[in-house]
Amino acid sequence: MNIKGLLAIAASACMVVLPQAAVAGKGFDYTYVDAGYRGIRADSIDADGVAFNLSYGATDHIIVLASYSHLWQDKAEGFSDVDVDIDEFKIGGGGHYSLTDSFDLVGSIVYVVDKSTGDAIPPGESDSTRIKGSSEGFEAAVYGRWQAMDKLELDPVLIYRDVGSDADTGIGANVIYNFHKKWSFLGNATYFSDDSATNLFLGVRLEM
């Protein structure tokens, strides 16, 4: 069985067993908004922009997820004078299961749409070409939320992404530091091996 199947099964299994689980202690908050910088670094692309992520704890164990990011791309393999805007939309859901007072297992599946518009000069050409495209697919993720210290959370992340003609597996981590009541600093780095790409996020989280 491939990684795609394993992740989909793991996420689905989480959601199936969740109604039977009892959460011990205060647990983690699953209703929050993230906002901050997003960047992509790879051999074939460089892009920087902003991202907004929403998580809503619909029930004790089920979450609804949505996100939007806007990236400005200034590098593409084989092209010059790249000036492309990338809009990415995600919507989906998942579930979480409390294994201990300080560790939750989370699974999620989201639908993804990427839209690109802009200009770039193709190889061997002197004039720019208008670029406009759209692709869609999904992301499946399994990750843990570990309350390592009173104000520090560490989250190992495994992601399978299949969007357009590209499919890849990524591994990464979140580092979340609570600095004031419902406010936290959030950093994420996820590495996708097939494209040698690193997806970065640095921002703040507000628990609702």
Side-chain angles (χ1 to χ4, degrees), residues 126-192:
S126 58
D127 296 327
S128 64
T129 297
R130 185 66 177 170
I131 295 174
K132 186 175 183 179
S134 179
S135 57
E136 59 185 82
F138 77 94
E139 282 185 1
V142 176
Y143 60 97
R145 297 189 65 177
W146 175 40
Q147 194 70 49
M149 299 173 63
D150 181 43
K151 294 182 178 293
L152 180 65
E153 179 183 334
L154 303 176
D155 305 342
V157 181
L158 179 64
I159 297 177
Y160 178 82
R161 179 180 171 92
D162 190 337
V163 178
S165 60
D166 298 324
D168 203 353
T169 302
I171 185 168
N174 297 327
V175 178
I176 304 168
Y177 178 75
N178 177 246
F179 66 89
H180 180 69
K181 297 182 179 179
K182 294 183 176 294
W183 291 91
S184 300
F185 290 122
L186 168 63
N188 167 271
T190 304
Y191 178 74
F192 291 87

Side-chain angles (χ1 to χ4, degrees), residues 84-108:
V84 176
D85 292 342
I86 304 172
D87 292 293
E88 183 174 82
F89 305 86
K90 298 180 185 179
I91 188 166
H96 54 94
Y97 178 78
S98 181
L99 297 179
T100 72
D101 288 354
S102 60
F103 189 89
D104 278 13
L105 178 65
V106 186
S108 66

